[in-house]
Amino acid sequence: MSAFETNTPFEDMEGRGGPGHDSKAQARMARAYRLTIWGIALGIFLFAAHVVLWAHGIGNAQLLKDGVDWVYDVLLYGIAALVFGRDERAERWAALGIGAVMAVAGIHTLYDLWDKIVSPRPIEIWTLGFSAASAIVIAILIVALLWRFRRETNPVIKATWLSSRNDVISTTGFALLGLVARVAPVRWPEYLFDLIVAGICFQATWAIWKAARVPQDKTLPAEA
């Protein structure tokens, strides 16, 4: 059985088991995804390392936190890049791992919300502005790169697509709410959005878990 057999009309993204035309198209899709996901993981790592070094250099704790937060994305896309193309068992465990990372991100968002309420943070306009702008640009670029794979039901591909979708929603929303928080006398819009983002993370975890548990013994009946 193929490592990429899913409920899609094709059976093998690497082209080892389907009809000639579909098999070649699936192999091209698999190669394209593999190159794309490696590029995303490496690009985020290099950017995060640059931000962390810069934050250390200028002694900015807020910028350092923003740089370290990119570890979630490096883990998500790094796991997908390492596992994609291996056996089905490894892929499904990786998808579950990505789902777990999404759950941790949701829990971390709730913890961060609690910390904001207990100890309100001062707004550092330039630091938050840079972090928000760079996060939005990177999130949009990742979605653009993964857009062609959005309808794939392979659990690893689905996990990375849901992650990129969440990033666009959360980073754009936080950037807009950050501007509102700077001019408004209340902070509840930012707190409310934290709850929404946590919910999105948990929803993605549930969707990934369901995709990873799709039975793989439902094969089409053999043709005479």
Side-chain angles (χ1 to χ4, degrees), residues 145-165:
L145 289 170
L146 293 178
W147 182 261
R148 64 183 294 191
F149 309 107
R150 69 190 184 282
R151 300 192 187 282
E152 300 295 335
T153 57
N154 175 276
V156 175
I157 298 178
K158 186 178 184 67
T160 52
W161 165 249
L162 288 172
S163 173
S164 68
R165 180 208 65 180

Side-chain angles (χ1 to χ4, degrees), residues 159-178:
T160 52
W161 165 249
L162 288 172
S163 173
S164 68
R165 180 208 65 180
N166 289 355
D167 282 345
V168 166
I169 296 173
S170 62
T171 54
T172 303
F174 274 125
L176 296 177
L177 286 178

Side-chain angles (χ1 to χ4, degrees), residues 4 13-14 25-41 76-86 91 94-95 98 142 145-164:
F4 290 96
M13 292 185 67
E14 293 289 355
Q26 293 150 21
R28 287 196 296 269
M29 179 68 75
R31 285 193 294 270
Y33 177 78
R34 185 179 294 109
L35 290 174
T36 299
I37 211 68
W38 270 116
I40 290 173
L76 287 170
Y77 298 113
I79 290 173
L82 286 171
V83 174
F84 185 77
R86 298 181 183 273
E91 278 194 348
I98 292 173
I142 292 175
L145 289 170
L146 293 178
W147 182 261
R148 64 183 294 191
F149 309 107
R150 69 190 184 282
R151 300 192 187 282
E152 300 295 335
T153 57
N154 175 276
V156 175
I157 298 178
K158 186 178 184 67
T160 52
W161 165 249
L162 288 172
S163 173
S164 68

